[in-house]
């Protein structure tokens, strides 16, 4: 590691007992620009969010603890193809609908490229939901504690804490200095690999809920005494994150401070970072962490001074985040499969050949609960409609296929994503792109991780002239197909 323990300890030891609040010069931050391209905060209906998340499908859960989490987060996609994250609170949370809406609207006024900006909310009956930008590249906890190939580079760790400090500074300037349970799960990475602070933490999990859900060893001491979160409490949590990034482990602050006092810095620093930073840089980060972790809240630095302290430490500032993170960039993804290529160039004949070849094998596992009466009275008629539709589809009798598949769908006794996909293609070949898009989206509602539904959406969007949205759907289809193939390869 090459860290000089005596040098580090001397600096941190003095900060423990002679810590005054760091003051920063009043400088403008060019990277703190507000985001202009996002829509204004709005209220969604429950039906819209059900459709966006395929009925809150288990496959769309992105919460670290899945269905067992008290408040579950789902990924979803709106009708305009914007990808979203939806936080669904438990039934007991926020009994006062007006208070929930007021809080959500207040957070929704924030717009900054260091945040996962809040796009809207839903408040129907006893349902309380928040809608934010979707971040596709996992959480800091995943990259820091559960990495599979390469540990996070020192330069990227420094970028994470700077972006986080800038996010907190922006929120403070806008009058939202309180953040509840700041931890490594609250920092996510966007499609370019840039770290963002989740806006979900700017609201409590409920009106009377706790502000901290993590282990008590990581909770600010004043919160344990009073049960109240303050701006200084947020800085304490920032200090625990500095320790996380320095050590690559979730070390309790009291233990970390003991290591500093005992001059045992080797136990505090991540061995994976050996040779990546200088003694001075290590000294400064440990000093900053120990100041954030001061027992007395008034002795901790403020967000503005954190930004001032972290800015000169940045390394490889010209390198894009996705390069430092080692993740694929949004502008380039894996070579497309034949179906992906066909959808990309809107080759409807090639798409038809693929859909006919795969037949209905992707419908396996789709739940169809039918009573015995339905089987005896309606099933034969329903199956006949599908069979006639399949014959028409094979012969490229587009109108006949649309009519028969519509009879099958309207019968309501069975659901089939493949039927929707086939009717979608028929609509496309019949120059009815909006109807094709609707069917492709319905296929994804039935089967949320089906790549063909995304590919057909891409083709439909391209015909409708929505090229950017088409590229997003195409990338999503390629990602889903790659995951499916990887899963099949492990079986």
């Amino acid at each position: 590691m090459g860290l000089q323990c005596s040098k580090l300890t001397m600096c941190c030891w003095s900060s423990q007992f002679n810590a005054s609040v760091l003051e920063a010069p009043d400088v403008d931050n060019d990277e703190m620009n507000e985001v202009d391209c996002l829509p204004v905060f709005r209220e969604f209906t429950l039906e819209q969010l059900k459709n966006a998340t395929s009925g809150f499908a288990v496959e769309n859960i992105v919460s670290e603890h899945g269905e067992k989490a008290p408040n579950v987060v789902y990924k979803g996609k709106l009708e305009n193809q914007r990808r979203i994250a939806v936080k669904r609170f438990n039934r007991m949370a926020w009994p006062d609908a007006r208070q929930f809406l007021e809080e959500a609207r207040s957070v929704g006024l924030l717009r900054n490229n260091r945040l996962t900006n809040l796009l809207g909310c839903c408040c129907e009956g006893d349902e309380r939901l928040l809608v934010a930008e979707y971040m596709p590249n996992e959480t800091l906890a995943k990259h820091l504690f559960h990495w599979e190939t390469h540990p996070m580079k020192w330069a990227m760790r420094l970028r994470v804490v700077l972006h986080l400090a800038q996010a907190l500074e922006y929120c403070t300037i806008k009058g939202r200095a309180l953040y509840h349970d700041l931890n490594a799960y609250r920092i996510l990475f966007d499609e370019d690999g840039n770290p963002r602070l989740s806006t979900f933490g700017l609201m409590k999990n409920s009106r009377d809920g706790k502000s901290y859900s993590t282990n008590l060893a990581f909770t600010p001491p004043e919160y344990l005494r009073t049960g109240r979160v303050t701006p200084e409490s947020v800085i304490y949590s920032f200090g625990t994150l500095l320790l996380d990034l320095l050590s690559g482990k979730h070390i309790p602050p009291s233990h970390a401070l003991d290591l500093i006092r005992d001059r045992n810095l080797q136990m505090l620093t991540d061995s994976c970072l050996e040779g990546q930073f200088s003694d001075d840089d290590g000294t400064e980060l440990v000093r900053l962490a120990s100041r954030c972790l001061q027992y007395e809240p008034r002795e901790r630095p403020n967000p503005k001074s954190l930004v001032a302290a972290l800015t000169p430490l940045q390394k490889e500032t010209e390198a894009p985040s996705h390069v430092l993170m080692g993740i694929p960039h949004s502008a380039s993804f894996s070579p497309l499969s034949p179906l992906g290529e066909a959808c990309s160039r809107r080759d409807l004949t090639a798409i038809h050949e693929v859909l006919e070849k795969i037949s209905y094998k992707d419908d396996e596992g789709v739940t169809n609960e039918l009573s015995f009466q339905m089987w005896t009275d309606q099933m034969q008629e329903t199956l006949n409609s599908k069979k006639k539709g399949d014959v028409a589809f094979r012969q490229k009798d587009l109108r006949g296929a649309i009519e028969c598949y519509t009879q099958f769908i309207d019968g309501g006794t069975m659901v089939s994503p493949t039927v929707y996909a086939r009717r979608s293609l028929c609509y496309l070949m019949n120059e009815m792109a909006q109807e094709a898009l609707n069917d492709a989206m319905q296929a994804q509602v039935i089967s949320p991780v089906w790549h063909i539904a995304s590919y057909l959406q891409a083709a439909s969007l391209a015909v409708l002239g929505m090229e950017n949205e088409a590229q997003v759907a195409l990338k999503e289809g390629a990602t889903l197909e790659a995951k499916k193939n990887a899963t099949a390869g492990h079986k």
Side-chain angles (χ1 to χ4, degrees), residues 65-335:
H65 301 293
E67 287 183 289
K68 295 180 180 179
N71 305 294
V72 183
V73 180
Y74 299 83
K75 66 179 179 180
K77 186 164 58 177
L78 299 174
E79 288 185 359
N80 64 1
Q81 300 301 298
R82 181 180 290 279
R83 300 178 76 188
I84 57 173
V86 181
K87 181 173 182 176
R88 191 183 195 186
F89 290 90
N90 68 43
R91 299 280 172 170
M92 302 301 293
W94 294 99
D96 188 331
R98 186 174 65 177
Q99 188 179 32
F100 174 78
L101 285 172
E102 287 175 356
E103 275 286 293
R105 285 176 184 145
S106 177
V107 175
L109 292 174
L110 303 178
R111 286 288 181 269
N112 191 264
N113 57 14
R114 296 292 183 255
L115 301 173
T116 65
N117 296 279
L118 202 62
L119 305 177
C121 70
C122 174
C123 189
E124 285 187 23
D126 57 358
E127 289 280 3
R128 305 286 183 267
L129 303 105
L130 296 176
V131 181
E133 294 178 281
Y134 175 66
M135 301 290 114
N137 283 310
E138 305 285 357
T139 65
L140 175 61
K142 170 77 172 178
H143 291 289
L144 195 59
F145 306 137
H146 310 295
W147 52 272
E148 296 174 356
T149 53
H150 302 289
M152 186 180 289
K153 292 183 177 180
W154 176 248
M156 192 63 211
R157 299 187 194 204
L158 290 173
R159 188 172 298 181
V160 168
V161 289
L162 175 61
H163 281 212
L164 175 56
Q166 289 171 336
L168 293 177
E169 182 185 12
Y170 171 79
C171 292
T172 300
I173 291 170
K174 294 297 184 178
R176 300 292 309 195
L178 300 185
Y179 196 94
H180 305 277
D181 205 12
L182 178 62
N183 58 58
Y185 293 98
R186 299 285 200 180
I187 300 168
L188 303 102
F189 294 87
D190 64 21
E191 61 182 12
D192 295 321
N194 291 316
R196 307 267 206 108
L197 177 63
S198 170
T199 45
F200 290 156
L202 291 167
M203 290 181 64
K204 289 183 180 181
N205 283 335
S206 68
R207 182 189 63 179
D208 301 315
K210 296 179 180 178
S211 291
Y212 287 87
S213 58
T214 52
N215 188 299
L216 293 179
F218 299 89
T219 302
E222 66 275 9
Y223 182 78
L224 294 176
R225 294 195 305 268
T226 66
R228 295 178 60 188
V229 61
T230 66
E232 293 77 20
S233 307
V234 181
I235 300 301
Y236 186 94
S237 296
F238 185 91
T240 68
L241 276 167
L242 283 174
L243 293 178
D244 289 348
L245 287 154
L246 185 65
S247 66
K249 300 182 287 289
H250 203 34
I251 299 178
S254 59
H255 180 51
L257 293 174
D258 286 342
L259 290 174
I260 294 170
R261 291 192 190 97
D262 296 340
R263 304 183 181 187
N264 190 2
L265 272 299
Q266 292 297 326
M267 291 291 292
L268 185 61
T269 50
D270 192 340
S271 60
C272 295
L273 296 174
E274 188 168 357
Q276 291 190 35
F277 64 91
S278 67
D279 293 346
D280 288 343
D281 287 349
T283 297
E284 180 60 20
L285 208 65
V286 173
R287 182 184 70 84
L288 201 56
S290 83
R291 289 204 170 212
C292 291
L293 296 169
Q294 289 295 303
Y295 185 83
E296 291 296 333
R298 67 178 180 275
E299 295 180 347
R300 300 171 195 155
N302 56 37
K304 186 176 182 180
S305 56
L306 289 175
V307 172
L310 289 164
T311 299
L313 297 179
Q314 298 303 302
K315 310 294 181 187
E316 300 185 50
T317 54
E318 298 301 315
S321 293
H322 70 88
V323 172
L324 293 178
M325 293 286 288
I327 57 177
H329 187 226
S330 57
S332 62
F333 47 90
S334 303

Side-chain angles (χ1 to χ4, degrees), residues 323-395:
V323 172
L324 293 178
M325 293 286 288
I327 57 177
H329 187 226
S330 57
S332 62
F333 47 90
S334 303
L336 293 170
S337 66
L339 177 58
E341 281 287 354
C343 290
S344 175
R345 57 178 197 271
R346 291 176 248 171
D347 186 342
L348 304 185
T349 300
I351 298 172
H352 182 273
E353 289 176 2
V354 173
L355 288 186
E356 188 178 355
K357 183 178 180 180
I358 65 169
S359 189
Y360 286 85
K361 69 176 183 179
D362 286 335
D363 278 15
E364 294 173 9
V366 175
T367 302
N368 286 287
E369 295 184 1
L370 300 168
S371 67
F372 181 74
Q373 189 67 28
M374 284 183 176
W375 273 101
T376 55
D377 293 352
Q378 299 177 36
M379 184 54 64
Q380 195 59 53
E381 183 179 346
T382 300
L383 291 175
N384 284 340
S385 297
K386 184 175 80 68
K387 201 173 293 184
K388 290 177 182 177
D390 291 342
V391 172
F393 182 80
R394 188 162 54 249
Q395 297 174 349

